[in-house]
Amino acid sequence: MVFALALVALMPSNQSLWIDEGFTLPYAQDSSFANFVSRLQSEEGSESLMPLGMFSSWAGAKIFGRSELGLRAVSALWAAVAVLLFWRVGVLIGFAWLPALLACQPFLWYYAGEVRPYAMVIAMSTGLLYASVAIVCSEGETNRGLHALLLFGPLLCATHVLAVVPFAVVAGVVGTELLRERWRPRPRDLPVLVISGGALILLGLYYARVISRGADINWEGPWKVGLSNLLFSGYELLGFVGFGPGRYELRQSAIEGGIGGALQGLGRPATAGLVVLALLYAVILLRFCKRPRSERPAADRLALMAGFMITVSGGFMFVLCLTVGSPFWGRHLASLLPFVVLAVGIAAATPSGAGQEPVYLLTVLLGATLLTSSLLVRFHPDHRRDDYRGAARIARIAVQDGKTVWWAAALESAEYYGVVFCRVDEVDQRACVVRTDNREKRSLEHLPEPDVILISKPELHDRPGAVRSYIDEHRFRLKRRLMAFEVFELP
């Protein structure tokens, strides 16, 4: 566990805040709790569907500060909570080393270093896993697991609305187990049941109200729900991401060539790591499947239970997103990570048959490979986030030199880095930064002519294509590239 916590300390960074983190910034920067609540009540984006996650960022900023590292520190803190809870899971089943395997996961490394609620989702989901394991392994004593379920379940659902799906699956599995054991609540269980049930009812009413006023998790972009969602989610959750191209490069390859383009982007020296990791998973799966059913250790039951929860939750998420037409990615399944690690860890380390010693070689090799992938995610320049800090610096310097800048990118991260945009009633002035986010060509004609144009992810911020057309028509030249940004200037 000490090793795992030491790894957690390396997860957050002072890299530039990127577009997704920018959506959290207004909450983290609210000066008072009243302002935070007011913003949450009026929010029409997905942030209103992760109320406890936004509150965590608000509280974290008050404790750790508003620097990049300070804002991300709260996510690292939740990663540490996940490690501690996973240690408790490991102790219950005789696998006390499990938190080390969790801390080697690239998925955890990425989201423990991001100002979003996904590390908190992983922590609360680990509490849910602890609850289910404690009930299954209780041998008649279920209070500890039940109370954990009634605590972490509502907290998980309040952290992100999509976590309701795995919570419902876990609650169904646990409920079946309790019925099989003919469990009856004791008097001391009733207050916990009432409080937890009441919290879930209030939370359900809140989500119903928020969704009815138009808030949703839809992500506007070129993506459609399909096989790519499942493939990329598995790619992230199983830890392959560090050995592949960076997210931005992979994204651009997928936009240009679909799944084929994305697969083509995997051709690089580090791809050897993808092959090694895939082979390790294949060996682990074969060992697990070849064990005679009559000789399987008791821990295999937990691995199968975790696999069932992963399959049902992921399948339901796919059907749900297919129905509403909104794509999902690995982060939307963050609550499944503890179950993935448990299933893989048990399958890798349990002996081939009853009475045999555990086999740790596969687990050590798997952990080392995953840690290598994690270190690449954390330190390799290909895996850096969108460089809003560098783009904002270019914009500020241009304005100081008396130039007009067009900005086709997100606003929140730009403002965090000191970009001051022209007021709507002052668009005729020079030497300022002008918003051009998704403007039509006709509206661009009324803006001051630019000397510098910064554009990021045109499929998001220039969907009509007006800015790109302006660049071509006026012979702007590409002067510089930053991560997820292009900088154009007149010759």
Side-chain angles (χ1 to χ4, degrees), residues 80-101:
V81 171
V83 165
L84 291 170
L85 288 169
F86 218 74
W87 173 73
R88 288 297 304 150
V89 173
V91 169
L92 281 177
I93 63 176
F95 289 77
W97 47 266
L98 272 177
L101 187 60

Side-chain angles (χ1 to χ4, degrees), residues 2 94 109 131 146 177 220 234 303 381 393 400 405 407 431 446:
V2 174
W109 278 71
L146 178 64
E177 181 70 17
E220 295 182 355
R393 184 185 302 114
Q400 290 172 5
V405 179
W407 181 272
H446 302 288

Side-chain angles (χ1 to χ4, degrees), residues 54-86:
M54 292 300 104
F55 174 77
S56 173
S57 295
W58 176 80
K62 301 296 177 288
I63 299 171
F64 301 110
R66 297 178 182 175
S67 67
E68 294 97 333
L69 193 59
L71 290 169
R72 289 169 174 149
V74 67
S75 293
L77 183 62
W78 286 119
V81 171
V83 165
L84 291 170
L85 288 169
F86 218 74

Side-chain angles (χ1 to χ4, degrees), residues 186-375:
R186 301 176 183 180
R188 61 183 179 180
D189 296 330
L190 294 178
V192 183
L193 284 167
V194 170
I195 293 173
S196 181
L200 288 171
I201 291 172
L202 291 175
L203 188 61
L205 293 173
Y206 166 78
Y207 281 144
R209 176 177 174 272
V210 168
I211 293 172
S212 67
R213 72 166 187 245
D216 59 38
I217 58 171
N218 285 329
W219 182 75
E220 295 182 355
W223 311 108
K224 303 297 181 183
V225 184
L227 181 61
S228 60
N229 299 125
L230 291 174
L231 288 176
F232 189 73
S233 297
Y235 176 78
E236 282 194 289
L237 286 167
L238 292 174
F240 291 99
V241 65
F243 296 121
R247 290 168 183 264
Y248 178 69
E249 183 182 346
L250 187 63
R251 167 199 177 90
Q252 296 308 112
S253 298
I255 290 174
E256 294 170 7
I259 294 179
L263 293 175
Q264 197 173 34
L266 297 177
R268 57 181 58 220
T271 304
L274 290 172
V275 175
V276 171
L277 188 55
L279 287 175
L280 286 171
Y281 280 131
V283 171
I284 290 169
L285 182 61
L286 286 173
R287 283 186 72 252
F288 184 81
C289 293
K290 283 185 176 180
R291 284 203 281 269
R293 192 169 184 179
S294 60
E295 297 181 5
R296 284 185 171 179
D300 278 14
R301 181 187 175 199
L302 294 174
L304 292 171
M305 179 190 74
F308 173 79
M309 293 175 179
I310 294 165
T311 303
V312 174
S313 299
F316 186 86
M317 182 70 71
F318 180 77
V319 172
L320 176 64
C321 291
L322 195 64
T323 302
V324 301
S326 178
F328 68 95
W329 309 107
R331 62 181 179 269
H332 300 127
L333 300 176
S335 54
L336 300 184
L337 180 67
F339 296 90
V340 171
V341 176
L342 178 71
V344 171
I346 290 176
T350 47
S352 299
Q356 298 184 24
E357 290 296 320
V359 180
Y360 294 116
L361 178 59
L362 271 178
T363 309
V364 172
L365 290 175
L366 178 64
T369 306
L370 288 169
L371 182 57
T372 302
S373 180
S374 297
L375 293 174

